Amino acid sequence: MPASDSPGAPTARWDHSLNALVLIVEDEPEIADIVAAYLAREGLRTLRAQDGLGALALHRSARPDLVLLDVQMPGMDGWTVLNTLRQRGDTPVIMLTALDQDLDKLTALRMGADDYVVKPFNPAEVAARVRAVLRRTLNAPRPSAPEILRVGSLVIDPEHHAVHVEGDGYSHELLLTLTEYKLLHCMALAPMRIFSRSELMHACLPESEALERTVDSHVSKLRRKLDDVGLANVPASVRGVGYRLVADH
């Protein structure tokens, strides 16, 4: 009888990191070629981007399982890309950089990077780190995706921190700051409820030392962006109390 069928034998665990998709964000083609070759040896698929904007576009369309992200790129740098990725969700990110400073490593980890590799690096080590992160993230049980919220023409996707305004034959994506998104999402959970400035402050800016009137500034900017796509007076002001997403009609 095969060992796997014997009583008490451990059950083989499928490695979901096999054939995973890795987005390589690197402006030096030679480095990208080498890394891609080593990842291919590990059974991984790859996509490439040479700048930050291209990386964010590919991340949204292809939904890679991991991003290898260079820090020093022309235009949008790796820190900005990492910040945007973390606003969208929890795709694993390994930073590639020539900066060998403890402060940079701490910055990467505090911003949500999963690992950090300093150039010049051994590509075999990079491939091993990629597999290690993928095993940890893809084999782990994943929580169910949060439900998409719909309030009138507003569509809020909490998993990707994306907001669209939809109508007959059109869909506009709103480019919101993280605070603006948090404010909108908080009010969308109870669109008829009136939220005080204090409630919104604690829900959306819990570590901030700003005054409550800072909420007014963020709501004002959010309202202008919604007004630009045809949603006037959203969120609605309730004099002397605060705000709510949907006004009385």
Side-chain angles (χ1 to χ4, degrees):
M1 178 181 292
S4 59
D5 295 330
S6 61
T11 302
R13 187 179 183 187
W14 175 251
D15 187 351
H16 294 282
S17 64
L18 291 172
N19 203 38
L21 179 61
V22 178
L23 173 57
I24 302 171
V25 187
E26 171 60 65
D27 64 326
E28 297 186 42
E30 298 83 0
I31 294 178
D33 287 343
I34 293 172
V35 172
Y38 273 79
L39 293 180
R41 294 181 189 178
E42 296 288 328
L44 302 171
R45 297 173 295 129
T46 59
L47 284 173
R48 303 187 200 182
Q50 291 188 323
D51 56 52
L53 289 176
L56 292 176
L58 279 175
H59 176 266
R60 187 175 291 282
S61 62
R63 298 193 176 184
D65 298 296
L66 183 142
V67 178
L68 271 175
L69 178 59
D70 187 26
V71 170
Q72 295 179 316
M73 294 183 294
M76 183 184 295
D77 64 20
W79 302 123
T80 305
V81 175
L82 175 60
N83 184 56
T84 303
L85 292 178
R86 282 296 161 261
Q87 291 182 34
R88 290 182 180 179
D90 58 358
T91 304
V93 177
I94 297 178
M95 306 298 288
L96 301 176
T97 180
L99 304 175
D100 186 13
Q101 300 291 331
D102 287 340
L103 179 59
D104 294 304
K105 296 176 183 178
L106 289 173
T107 299
L109 296 175
R110 286 171 179 168
M111 290 180 66
D114 294 81
D115 205 347
Y116 188 107
V117 182
V118 177
K119 297 178 180 177
F121 49 72
N122 182 335
E125 179 188 353
V126 174
R129 292 194 183 208
V130 167
R131 286 297 300 272
V133 172
L134 286 172
R135 286 193 186 99
R136 185 175 72 244
T137 57
L138 295 185
N139 288 326
R142 290 192 170 186
S144 57
E147 292 185 6
I148 291 177
L149 299 175
R150 296 180 183 272
V151 181
S153 58
L154 274 173
V155 180
I156 303 170
D157 182 353
E159 183 177 10
H160 299 101
H161 284 206
V163 178
H164 290 79
V165 176
E166 297 183 349
D168 293 333
Y170 71 87
S171 177
H172 297 296
E173 182 176 6
L174 293 178
L175 300 179
L176 305 180
T177 66
L178 182 57
T179 299
E180 290 165 359
Y181 171 82
K182 287 181 177 180
L183 287 168
L184 185 62
H185 180 261
C186 178
M187 287 184 277
L189 292 172
M192 292 301 298
R193 179 186 166 192
I194 301 173
F195 291 85
S196 69
R197 290 171 177 80
S198 177
E199 285 180 299
L200 292 173
M201 187 79 178
H202 286 93
C204 305
L205 296 163
E207 298 178 359
S208 174
E209 297 181 358
L211 300 176
E212 288 183 9
R213 63 172 175 266
T214 303
V215 171
D216 295 335
S217 175
H218 288 293
V219 169
S220 177
K221 293 174 183 176
L222 172 61
R223 187 180 285 158
R224 283 199 296 271
K225 292 180 180 180
L226 290 167
D227 186 64
D228 287 342
V229 292
L231 294 181
N233 194 36
V234 178
S237 298
V238 180
R239 186 180 296 275
V241 184
Y243 300 96
R244 66 177 160 199
L245 191 58
V246 178
D248 290 328
H249 295 287

